[in-house]
Amino acid sequence: MTVYFTKDHEWVRLEGDSALIGITDYAQSQLGDVVYVELPEVGKTFAKGDEAAVVESVKAASDVYAPVSGLVIAVNSKLPDSPSTINDAPESDGWFIRLTLTEPSELEGLLDEAAYRAFVETL
């Protein structure tokens, strides 16, 4: 399993021909307690950088951007009823969407885990 990260604190985990998308532990810690999640519909397509989801916490609302282009083939249907899953397990059970990548070469522009962790250290 290969995981990529963005400087906007999203992660992309490749699983076969698809990829899970979520926000990082750093992002959830900055948001505070997540109280609401708005997910896209299955079948929607995103270009890299498009708004893919919305997260609201006790501190603020934030957009989650698609780190890569793709077609939504699944959403984490547990999140609307249990948004705190994002706080509890942001980089596993708190995933947002599963995409089929339409431009796999976009992964080359993302950070690996070591580069992302080094980036977070500078914040």
Side-chain angles (χ1 to χ4, degrees):
M1 244 179 320
T2 304
V3 182
Y4 299 90
F5 296 86
T6 72
K7 289 185 175 179
D8 291 327
H9 310 289
E10 290 115 7
W11 55 263
V12 179
R13 185 171 59 229
L14 291 181
E15 293 185 355
D17 294 337
S18 65
L20 291 180
I21 310 292
I23 63 171
T24 66
D25 185 57
Y26 177 83
Q28 72 79 24
S29 69
Q30 295 299 301
L31 285 167
D33 294 336
V34 175
V35 296
Y36 174 78
V37 180
E38 182 179 311
L39 299 172
E41 293 183 17
V42 173
K44 186 169 179 135
T45 59
F46 293 108
K48 180 179 178 178
D50 285 352
E51 180 184 311
V54 177
V55 177
E56 291 183 22
S57 71
V58 293
K59 292 181 180 177
S62 294
D63 294 328
V64 177
Y65 299 100
V68 290
S69 301
L71 168 70
V72 177
I73 58 172
V75 297
N76 188 345
S77 60
K78 296 177 183 174
L79 290 184
D81 292 333
S82 300
S84 63
T85 303
I86 295 168
N87 295 113
D88 297 337
E91 297 180 21
S92 57
D93 293 342
W95 63 276
F96 286 65
I97 56 177
R98 180 180 294 275
L99 294 177
T100 296
L101 302 179
T102 54
E103 298 290 337
S105 63
E106 292 173 343
L107 293 169
E108 296 170 16
L110 301 179
L111 304 172
D112 64 19
E113 185 168 0
Y116 175 73
R117 303 294 176 213
F119 168 71
V120 169
E121 291 291 320
T122 67
L123 302 178

